[in-house]
């Protein structure tokens, strides 16, 4: 059960005061009955809610998968820089959305955007160690010794990397699939850098057991369904 003014505000991406104004004007109905009391509560999932004769689709929280492009900041406020929130389609924008985690400005791929703070906290908590998988294009090949070093865990200046999985994508050993369970600053770039290897391109392709939708082009996004959200939660 949720207050009708909150339902309308979230569904229409407007302020609570604007939602109350619509309700008081008699423009909102629930199951065919006009509602004018802004604090009445309804079953937001099973009720037939309309605003100005338009059916309202409401969900308490949203979960969005974005294929983040280069040059975009993983933040709600980029302080002058374009953010992942800025490039959301207008019909997906709503209050309190933020990226769950971060990707460097020049890193692309799977970005999870939500307004569910508890969910984000749990998947980002160091206690959860949600695995994240990346494709790294390198300036020179790696070898079995580096694979072994990744697997054992790498000591960086002031940081200790947990064991990570490094696999060759092709026989050149210049493209690697890397799975980590931490999120330290420039972690993958620093791990390869310890061996004198520069990461030229980096793309996140998987969070938990959920892979990036290959049909999403740069900057494109879509809502996650319940089964997909569960795939991310599996290791919380």
């Amino acid at each position: 059960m949720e207050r009708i003014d909150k339902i309308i505000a979230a569904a229409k991406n407007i302020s609570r005061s604007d939602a109350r104004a619509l309700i008081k004007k008699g423009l909102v109905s629930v199951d065919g009955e006009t509602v004018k009391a802004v604090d009445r509560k309804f079953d937001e999932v099973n009720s037939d809610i309309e605003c100005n004769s338009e059916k309202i689709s409401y969900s308490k929280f949203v979960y969005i998968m974005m294929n983040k492009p280069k040059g975009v900041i993983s933040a709600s406020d980029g302080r002058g820089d374009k953010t992942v929130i800025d490039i959301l389609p207008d019909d997906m924008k709503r209050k309190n959305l933020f990226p769950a985690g971060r990707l460097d400005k020049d890193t692309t791929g799977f970005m999870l955007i939500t307004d569910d703070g508890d969910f984000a906290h749990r998947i980002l908590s160091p206690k959860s160690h949600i695995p994240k998988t990346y494709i790294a294009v390198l300036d020179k090949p790696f070898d079995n010794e580096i694979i072994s070093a990744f697997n054992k865990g790498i000591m960086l200046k002031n940081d200790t990397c947990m064991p990570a999985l490094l696999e060759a994508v092709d026989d050149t050993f210049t493209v690697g699939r890397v799975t980590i369970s931490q999120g330290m600053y420039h972690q993958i770039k620093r791990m390869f850098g310890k061996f004198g290897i520069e990461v030229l391109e980096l793309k996140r392709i998987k969070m938990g057991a959920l892979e990036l939708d290959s049909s999403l082009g740069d900057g494109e996004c879509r809502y996650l369904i319940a089964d997909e959200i569960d795939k991310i939660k599996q290791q919380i």
Side-chain angles (χ1 to χ4, degrees):
M1 301 288 284
E2 191 66 84
R3 282 176 56 120
I4 189 64
D5 59 343
K6 186 174 181 180
I7 294 173
I8 298 301
K12 301 286 287 183
N13 194 29
I14 58 177
S15 67
R16 291 280 283 273
S17 59
D18 287 342
R20 293 185 192 110
L22 292 172
I23 295 166
K24 290 176 180 178
K25 288 178 181 178
L27 297 177
V28 174
S29 67
V30 179
D31 295 330
E33 174 194 352
T34 299
V35 177
K36 290 190 177 182
V38 299
D39 59 350
R40 284 188 63 184
K41 292 186 176 183
F42 296 93
D43 181 341
E44 67 272 20
V45 176
N46 297 311
S47 298
D48 183 9
I49 304 172
E50 292 189 358
C51 180
N52 203 16
S53 300
E54 177 186 350
K55 188 169 183 178
I56 292 297
S57 177
Y58 171 83
S59 58
K60 187 172 184 179
F61 298 114
V62 296
Y63 309 87
I64 298 169
M65 174 193 288
M66 173 182 286
N67 184 4
K68 176 190 168 300
K70 281 187 177 181
V72 177
I73 301 294
S74 300
S76 300
D77 181 3
R79 299 183 179 181
D81 289 321
K82 187 174 291 187
T83 73
V84 291
I85 304 302
D86 293 331
I87 66 173
L88 284 171
D90 287 342
D91 62 350
M92 296 181 82
K93 290 180 179 178
R94 58 191 271 174
K95 295 181 184 299
N96 302 320
L97 285 174
F98 62 93
R102 59 177 296 156
L103 292 175
D104 298 335
K105 189 174 183 178
D106 61 348
T107 299
T108 63
F110 194 159
M111 186 85 252
L112 176 62
I113 299 171
T114 186
D115 51 0
D116 185 344
D118 179 65
F119 171 77
H121 174 75
R122 284 187 292 138
I123 67 169
L124 297 174
S125 169
K127 295 179 181 179
S128 298
H129 298 308
I130 296 295
K132 304 170 189 71
T133 302
Y134 299 76
I135 296 296
V137 179
L138 312 169
D139 72 334
K140 55 181 67 108
F142 57 93
D143 56 25
N144 288 328
E145 288 187 10
I146 297 176
I147 292 174
S148 178
F150 270 56
N151 190 53
K152 292 176 181 176
I154 293 176
M155 293 292 296
L156 300 175
K157 184 179 180 181
N158 300 323
D159 287 311
T160 302
C161 296
M162 295 175 63
L165 178 64
L166 171 59
E167 303 168 285
V169 172
D170 58 30
D171 57 9
T172 69
F173 280 72
T174 57
V175 182
R177 181 184 291 105
V178 187
T179 301
I180 60 175
S181 55
Q182 293 166 288
M184 295 188 299
Y185 181 71
H186 291 320
Q187 180 174 343
I188 292 177
K189 295 175 183 177
R190 292 165 63 202
M191 290 168 72
F192 278 111
K194 187 175 178 69
F195 303 97
I197 299 175
E198 181 183 355
V199 177
L200 304 176
E201 303 279 345
L202 189 63
K203 180 174 185 176
R204 184 159 67 193
I205 61 168
K206 194 173 183 181
M207 290 184 69
L210 181 61
E211 296 186 8
L212 175 67
D213 187 335
S214 60
S215 70
L216 293 177
D218 289 348
E220 292 183 344
C221 52
R222 66 168 177 80
Y223 291 111
L224 296 182
I225 61 174
D227 287 349
E228 292 175 324
I229 298 166
D230 287 342
K231 285 185 177 181
I232 299 177
K233 291 180 176 178
Q234 282 177 3
Q235 292 177 281
I236 293 177

